[in-house]
Amino acid sequence: MTTPLPSPALRPDCANCFALCCTAFGFSRSADFAVDKPPATPCANLADDFSCTIHASLPARGFRGCTVFDCFGAGQAVSQQLFDGVSWRANPSSRTEMFAAFGIVRQLHEMLWHLDEAGRRTFDPDLAADAYNLSHTISAVTRGAVRDLLTFDVGALHVRVRNLLMEVSEEVRAGFAATGSRHRGSGLHAGADLVGRTFRGQRLCGADLRSALLIGADLRDCELSGADLLGADLRDARLDGARLERALYLTQPQVNAAAGDAATTLPDRLAAPAHWFR
Ligand code: SF4
């Protein structure tokens, strides 16, 4: 497969978004969001120009979740491409469809993010071709008609994407000699409850940590090359000095939710959040 994977902008561009993350979703009051907010309703802190009136003090005001969220570029794609740059304020009748489209496109863009990595990490040309074809299908849906997007079977697609990601994960992790025996008995497995566990300084190469609960876990100075972190919950995990540049399926929201430092190494596509250095 010589044709490159489709590469729509998968990074947020808030300047070209109608604050869809501040309107479309609903939130219950929690440690991450200080108030109850119904779905399809503008947040009380949203300004008329779609900026956040408390942007500089979100964590201090109880809105830490807003600093963690990442739309994978869905916001500007929906605002500018699907709805031609006409906001839900300018055309209130578009609200319902625009907010629903945002939720769907965010899911699809997250799939594109992972498929891009899967296509680059696998050495199997058939898997690379599958990743390309799935990405192509998704890109076409996100650029098509809104009515087709809103009736698209995201669930069925998600199963196909998940299966492919798992196949590539097994291949990558096998390359790190971690097909199961290496971490047997360590409690490291997909979906493991590892909340608050201490792994400081350990070599976790090729570990299957997919969907693992690593909330508050101590991963300082760990070697995580080839570790599958798809959907792992890294809230408040300590990543100081951890080597993650070759970890698999890591995303910006996961990094944003964790704590790290200047010695933490990340994949090229990801950036250390500012709060790591305060
Ligand atoms: S607090 Fe600010 S960033 Fe968070 S949802 Fe409200 S307007 Fe958006």
Side-chain angles (χ1 to χ4, degrees):
M1 179 62 60
T2 55
T3 309
L5 286 162
S7 55
L10 299 180
R11 298 174 191 281
D13 178 7
C14 301
N16 283 301
C17 173
F18 302 134
L20 298 180
C21 62
C22 307
T23 50
F25 301 137
F27 300 102
S28 298
R29 183 176 179 179
S30 68
D32 288 329
F33 202 85
V35 297
D36 290 323
K37 188 189 92 59
T41 306
C43 173
N45 298 316
L46 186 65
D48 289 345
D49 65 355
F50 301 114
S51 65
C52 173
T53 57
I54 61 168
H55 178 74
S57 57
L58 284 166
R61 300 282 292 270
F63 292 85
R64 191 182 80 143
C66 300
T67 67
V68 170
F69 183 81
D70 186 296
C71 73
F72 294 93
Q76 70 266 23
V78 171
S79 299
Q80 302 302 329
Q81 294 169 23
L82 288 178
F83 287 86
D84 298 322
V86 181
S87 77
W88 49 267
R89 284 200 205 278
N91 178 17
S93 68
S94 70
R95 282 184 177 212
T96 301
E97 286 195 341
M98 190 182 295
F99 297 158
F102 176 64
I104 294 170
V105 173
R106 185 183 184 272
Q107 292 180 64
L108 295 175
H109 273 208
E110 186 169 2
M111 292 183 207
L112 286 175
W113 176 274
H114 291 310
L115 287 168
D116 175 64
E117 179 169 15
R120 288 185 290 103
R121 296 291 289 265
T122 183
F123 289 100
D124 183 330
D126 292 334
L127 289 178
D130 288 347
Y132 171 83
N133 290 329
L134 280 168
S135 296
H136 192 77
T137 298
I138 293 171
S139 294
V141 172
T142 61
R143 293 169 182 168
V146 173
R147 64 178 179 279
D148 294 335
L149 174 77
L150 296 178
T151 56
F152 185 71
D153 190 345
V154 179
L157 180 74
H158 187 263
V159 171
R160 294 171 62 196
V161 171
R162 185 188 62 198
N163 290 343
L164 182 115
L165 297 183
M166 288 176 66
E167 278 195 74
V168 173
S169 172
E170 287 179 15
E171 176 197 345
V172 170
R173 289 186 294 106
F176 288 90
T179 53
S181 58
R182 184 186 175 99
H183 296 113
R184 190 168 295 149
S186 64
L188 300 181
H189 57 80
D193 183 347
L194 304 170
V195 176
R197 285 273 299 271
T198 297
F199 300 98
R200 188 171 189 180
Q202 292 189 28
R203 289 180 59 78
L204 305 178
C205 302
D208 186 357
L209 295 170
R210 182 170 26 94
S211 300
L213 297 176
L214 285 157
I215 301 166
D218 187 351
L219 295 164
R220 286 178 290 177
D221 303 315
C222 282
E223 171 59 73
L224 286 145
S225 293
D228 184 343
L229 291 167
L230 183 68
D233 193 335
L234 291 169
R235 281 178 290 168
D236 296 322
R238 296 291 304 274
L239 300 177
D240 314 54
R243 288 173 292 284
L244 286 151
E245 75 271 19
R246 297 177 70 200
L248 197 55
Y249 304 140
L250 188 64
T251 63
Q252 192 66 53
Q254 288 172 304
V255 171
N256 293 348
D261 66 6
T264 308
T265 63
L266 295 171
D268 288 343
R269 299 189 299 173
L270 302 180
H275 71 78
W276 283 13
F277 309 109
R278 288 187 191 121

